[in-house]
């Protein structure tokens, strides 16, 4: 007889989550199979809910393998790796994990901004490698407080970045496709003009095809030789070849990057660039936030199975976009 499952898990979200999900629901742990969903047949026919992560995504082929699917619960807030068109075409709900990660991603944006401006990563190497003793004074860096902060994408994370700027006495302006009338920050309809105005430009918009290379050579040049670009959104939003060329030519002052076009990125790409602070895509990766994200996935799964409704669905407009 065919085994019946409520949930198919295409990605492991950590031992603790996997155990708690399995304790609560009848789970098919497809992630254990190297061939993924292709390893299964009849078990998939009446499965209503799938669990994945933004890293593993959810493709058209996965939707096709699950004829009774009604909801996909994903870990992470980005949905650039989830095939939302395929979901919309079949009326399948998709949930992500918004809000709970805003603070940690915004904190990291500030860590990168401060590190790129004040060169804390370079200073750390300077002290630990004995250069302080050998060479003496560390070069002067760039002031942060009182400067101008531009934000591309004043959404949940962008707002958390903006709120933190008050502590640095900074003026904030932003660029979205449409202004947010309630936000106490100036709206700039042109991204290039926002970059020309700003000392620091933080990228916090969504990823995906429609924002690919929004930050291009023109925007980078507008930010200028004293300007610093911070990206905690997606590597795809920034034209990395143009960024590297501008950094090498001194046309951009520096960068703080949690996300890159190719992840993991070849070590040589940024070698020797003390004006660049890098992190390996860990914006939300604190113990507290990762636990909250896992809990929200579990709550979405349980809510859907018990009530037919997701707690934090991707908006219908985004599903159809
Ligand atoms: P959100 O609340 O949906 O905000 C996204 C913002 O992007 C909105 O203000 C939106 O405004 C703007 N936007 C979308 N398309 C745009 C375009 N073409 N031009 C200009 N602005 C555009 O999303 P969020 O929760 O803040 O998350 C933002 C992104 O951060 C996620 O999508 C994810 O990729 C990334 N993220 C990264 C990490 C990490 O580890 N580094 C962790 C979590 C999230 P309009 O709709 O008005 O344009």
């Amino acid at each position: 007889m065919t085994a019946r499952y409520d949930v198919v898990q295409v990605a492991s979200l950590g031992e603790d989550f996997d155990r708690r999900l399995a304790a609560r629901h009848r789970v098919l742990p497809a992630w254990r199979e190297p061939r993924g969903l292709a390893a299964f047949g009849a078990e998939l026919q009446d499965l209503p809910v799938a669990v994945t992560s933004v890293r593993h995504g959810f493709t058209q082929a996965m939707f096709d393998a699950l004829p009774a699917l009604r909801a996909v619960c994903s870990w992470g807030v980005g949905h650039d790796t989830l095939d939302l068109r395929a979901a919309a075409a079949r009326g399948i709900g998709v949930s992500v994990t918004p809000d709970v990660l805003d603070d940690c991603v915004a904190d990291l944006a500030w860590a990168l901004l401060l590190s790129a401006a004040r060169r804390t990563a370079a200073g750390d190497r300077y002290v630990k490698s004995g250069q302080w003793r050998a060479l003496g004074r560390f070069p002067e860096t760039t002031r942060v407080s009182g400067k101008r902060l531009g934000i591309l994408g004043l959404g949940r994370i962008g707002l958390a970045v903006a709120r933190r700027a008050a502590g640095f006495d900074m003026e904030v302006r932003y660029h979205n496709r449409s202004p947010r009338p309630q936000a106490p920050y100036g709206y700039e309809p042109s991204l290039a003009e926002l970059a020309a105005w700003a000392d620091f430009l933080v990228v916090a918009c969504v990823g995906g095809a429609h924002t690919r290379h929004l930050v291009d050579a023109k925007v980078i040049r507008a930010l200028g030789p004293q300007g610093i670009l911070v990206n905690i959104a997606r590597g795809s939003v920034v034209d990395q070849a143009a960024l590297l060329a501008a950094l090498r030519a001194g046309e951009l002052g520096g960068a703080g990057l949690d996300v890159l076009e190719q992840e993991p990125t070849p070590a040589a790409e940024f070698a020797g660039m003390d004006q660049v602070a890098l992190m390996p895509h860990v914006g939300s990766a604190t113990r507290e936030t990762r636990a909250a994200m896992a809990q929200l996935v579990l709550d979405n799964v349980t809510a859907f199975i018990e009530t037919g409704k997701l707690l934090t669905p991707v908006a219908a407009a985004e599903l159809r976009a």
Side-chain angles (χ1 to χ4, degrees):
M1 207 176 86
T2 308
R4 288 287 314 275
Y5 300 97
D6 302 315
V7 182
V8 58
Q9 207 186 337
V10 301
S12 166
L13 304 188
E15 239 173 76
D16 181 58
F17 172 89
D18 297 349
R19 191 174 27 76
R20 290 196 295 140
L21 183 72
R24 187 117 198 214
H25 302 288
R26 295 175 299 171
V27 178
L28 177 65
W31 60 271
R32 289 186 199 275
E33 267 293 333
R35 289 197 295 136
L37 293 181
F40 303 94
E43 301 96 320
L44 304 183
Q45 292 310 302
D46 51 6
L47 255 162
V49 179
V51 165
T52 188
S53 72
V54 64
R55 210 159 289 160
H56 286 79
F58 213 83
T59 61
Q60 176 81 58
M62 292 173 173
F63 282 105
D64 291 346
L66 294 157
L69 193 64
R70 290 166 53 219
V72 175
C73 301
S74 180
W75 177 96
V77 79
H79 41 66
D80 43 317
T81 54
L82 310 173
D83 192 333
L84 298 185
R85 276 171 200 270
R90 279 178 45 197
I92 295 170
V94 177
S95 71
V96 290
T97 57
D99 303 318
V100 294
L101 45 67
D102 299 350
D103 284 334
C104 280
V105 181
D107 290 350
L108 193 76
W110 276 95
L112 288 166
L113 189 158
L114 287 161
S115 185
R118 301 301 305 271
R119 307 224 172 160
T120 59
D124 180 80
R125 287 192 294 276
Y126 200 77
V127 176
K128 287 179 181 166
S129 67
Q131 281 179 289
W132 188 10
R133 189 168 279 253
L135 302 176
R137 213 153 56 94
F138 188 65
E140 286 172 1
T141 60
T142 301
R143 179 183 169 98
V144 172
S145 291
K147 294 275 189 77
R148 294 170 164 183
L149 176 67
I151 298 179
L152 166 57
L154 193 76
R156 290 171 294 245
I157 294 171
L159 274 169
V161 171
R163 280 195 300 274
R164 284 154 173 74
F168 290 89
D169 302 319
M170 289 169 93
E171 188 186 343
V172 179
R173 291 191 192 173
Y174 71 99
H175 171 74
N176 277 1
R177 285 168 301 183
S178 34
R180 294 181 68 127
Q182 309 303 327
Y185 311 111
Y187 176 66
E188 179 52 70
S190 152
L191 174 57
E193 282 178 31
L194 179 71
W197 169 84
D199 298 301
F200 306 101
L201 180 66
V202 175
V203 181
C205 64
V206 299
H210 81 280
T211 57
R212 185 169 183 277
H213 290 187
L214 264 186
V215 178
D216 57 9
K218 183 175 160 213
V219 171
I220 292 167
R221 262 199 309 276
L223 193 53
Q226 308 300 324
I228 288 178
L229 179 75
V230 174
N231 187 5
I232 45 77
R234 284 289 179 266
S236 59
V237 184
V238 175
D239 180 341
Q240 194 165 313
L243 172 68
L244 283 163
L247 286 164
R248 285 195 191 106
E251 290 168 2
L252 180 70
L257 309 169
D258 183 43
V259 288
L260 293 161
E261 280 200 284
Q262 190 190 342
E263 295 179 357
T265 202
E269 286 272 274
F270 293 93
M273 290 193 181
D274 278 351
Q275 73 276 43
V276 181
L278 297 172
M279 286 296 274
H281 198 155
V282 287
S284 65
T286 61
R287 286 183 298 280
E288 297 87 343
T289 288
R290 287 286 161 91
M293 290 164 69
Q295 185 62 50
L296 193 48
V297 176
L298 191 56
D299 291 347
N300 267 292
V301 170
T302 304
F304 191 83
I305 287 172
E306 291 175 358
T307 69
K309 287 200 167 64
L310 292 166
L311 300 176
T312 50
V314 175
E318 287 183 80
L319 278 176
R320 284 192 300 271

